[in-house]
Amino acid sequence: TQLLEQSPQFLSIQEGENLTVYCNSSSVFSSLQWYRQEPGEGPVLLVTVATGGEVKKLKRLTFQFGDARKDSSLHITAAQPGDTGLYLCAGWHSGTYKYIFGTGTRLKVLA
Amino acid sequence: ETGVTQTPRHLVMGMTNKKSLKCEQHLGHNAMYWYKQSAKKPLELMFVYNFKEQTENNSVPSRFSPECPNSSHLFLHLHTLQPEDSALYLCASSQVGPGTASSYEQYFGPGTRLTVT
């Protein structure tokens, strides 16, 4: 059983389209991080969301933390080929005292 | 450039070899981590070091042996590995502090792609 489930698992879209990636759990997290990983590289931190209902924007990327702090979403507007990569959510799970990563969403944006 | 470097970037080794992976962080962080990333599996945390002391070992086989001589350097010594150990090994660091969301933000190196033949 995965504590942080991401959906969709794979996504292939055309340049210019919008998309949303979801990160869901049955557990409450004090904060969640989002990372992007490009092929052959390590994950790069994008953002931390730490308050229920919080919305953060990073250029064309909008991150939201659920009111109950059990889920988060990442919305990309007008996707570009440079957005291609593996998107990971992660957070500290107080029940297991572990920092855990989500199952990942692999995004491919076609020119 | 995230401030975390790893060497080598690629490593091919036989099952009877002994090799070491090296990680160095230039961020002044107090915690360092080893992760394993295999195809079709979520990132798996292997070891955690806080202030040079190992605080977590996630049931990792003894053929993987970590070493943390100081807060900036982390090694992973490998011996008698199996083909299923082939994966991307990632090192990360963070600044752990009480009650702050940024404590959990991790900064990763580029990884070492390990192939065991």
Side-chain angles (χ1 to χ4, degrees):
Chain A
T1 302
Q2 294 296 333
L3 293 171
L4 276 174
E5 291 279 354
Q6 288 185 238
S7 61
Q9 197 173 352
F10 299 97
L11 191 54
S12 181
I13 62 171
Q14 292 294 132
E15 182 176 5
E17 291 183 7
N18 301 333
L19 65 116
T20 302
V21 174
Y22 299 93
C23 173
N24 294 302
S25 177
S26 57
S27 302
V28 174
F29 286 80
S30 58
S31 67
L32 283 177
Q33 284 74 43
W34 282 92
Y35 299 82
R36 177 170 65 214
Q37 183 178 19
E38 297 183 16
E41 299 295 330
V44 174
L45 177 68
L46 296 175
V47 78
T48 291
V49 285
T51 304
E54 180 177 16
V55 176
K56 280 193 174 178
K57 292 194 174 185
L58 188 66
K59 296 183 181 178
R60 294 174 294 99
L61 278 58
T62 301
F63 303 86
Q64 185 160 10
F65 201 11
D67 291 340
R69 292 186 288 125
K70 292 183 178 182
D71 56 85
S72 182
S73 63
L74 158 59
H75 183 78
I76 301 180
T77 304
Q80 298 178 1
D83 296 326
T84 292
L86 176 67
Y87 287 82
L88 297 162
C89 63
W92 174 260
H93 187 255
S94 58
T96 56
Y97 295 98
K98 291 184 188 298
Y99 189 72
I100 60 171
F101 279 82
T103 48
T105 293
R106 200 167 292 277
L107 171 66
K108 187 168 187 177
V109 182
L110 304 169
Chain B
E1 178 62 48
T2 62
V4 181
T5 58
Q6 288 186 246
T7 55
R9 293 293 309 273
H10 301 272
L11 179 61
V12 179
M13 58 186 289
M15 290 190 285
T16 58
N17 290 158
K18 288 185 181 181
K19 296 286 184 184
S20 295
L21 309 185
K22 179 183 175 182
C23 176
E24 183 174 359
Q25 59 99 358
H26 310 273
L27 301 168
H29 288 166
N30 54 22
M32 295 187 78
Y33 311 79
W34 278 117
Y35 286 89
K36 176 183 178 183
Q37 189 174 38
S38 307
K40 301 179 183 178
K41 279 188 178 181
L43 268 172
E44 299 173 69
L45 179 63
M46 300 174 72
F47 300 103
V48 180
Y49 278 83
N50 284 315
F51 295 98
K52 305 187 302 176
E53 299 298 320
Q54 189 180 124
T55 56
E56 194 164 338
N57 175 340
N58 277 321
S59 304
V60 181
S62 59
R63 57 186 183 270
F64 295 91
S65 175
E67 178 190 359
C68 189
N70 54 60
S71 294
S72 299
H73 294 86
L74 187 64
F75 296 88
L76 188 63
H77 305 297
L78 316 170
H79 64 97
T80 59
L81 294 191
Q82 305 298 310
E84 60 264 29
D85 297 323
S86 298
L88 182 68
Y89 288 85
L90 291 160
C91 172
S93 71
S94 69
Q95 182 63 21
V96 178
T100 59
S102 60
S103 292
Y104 308 119
E105 296 176 348
Q106 304 212 345
Y107 294 81
F108 285 84
T112 295
R113 173 67 62 188
L114 173 67
T115 303
V116 181
T117 61

